[in-house]
Amino acid sequence: MYVEGTLDLLELLIMHPFLKPDDQQKEVVNMAQKAIIRYFPVFEKILRGHGQSFLVGNQLSLADVILLQTILALEEKIPNILSAFPFLQ
């Protein structure tokens, strides 16, 4: 479930370079809003709730890798996107 949710957000990032230049900036704002309002609060709550450093159990999983990949890609476009999410940082 975590991977699928993260892939939904990652899909927005993947499509970004194929947009018209005028639409790219609008899409950055859209991606930021979706990440901050819909996706990151869920992952922040999961990490805060179970006290582990990983999304599933106490070891690195595919969900962690996909989330990290998505966060790094988002940070390229929006450097301070994790400012309100200390557990994701």
Side-chain angles (χ1 to χ4, degrees), residues 16 23-33 77-78:
H16 186 264
D23 294 336
Q24 285 185 351
Q25 187 57 35
K26 293 177 193 171
E27 188 59 24
V28 167
V29 172
N30 181 42
M31 284 187 290
Q33 288 177 337
K77 305 273 183 218
I78 312 150

Side-chain angles (χ1 to χ4, degrees), residues 39-56:
Y39 293 97
F40 288 172
V42 172
F43 293 117
E44 183 79 2
K45 181 179 177 184
I46 293 162
L47 293 171
R48 185 181 332 109
H50 65 62
Q52 299 289 329
S53 297
F54 304 103
L55 289 173
V56 182

Side-chain angles (χ1 to χ4, degrees), residues 73-87:
L74 275 168
E75 284 183 322
E76 285 182 23
K77 305 273 183 218
I78 312 150
N80 62 346
I81 194 155
L82 289 181
S83 62
F85 304 98
F87 286 89

Side-chain angles (χ1 to χ4, degrees), residues 49-65:
H50 65 62
Q52 299 289 329
S53 297
F54 304 103
L55 289 173
V56 182
N58 59 358
Q59 62 184 3
L60 190 66
S61 69
L62 179 62
D64 298 301
V65 173

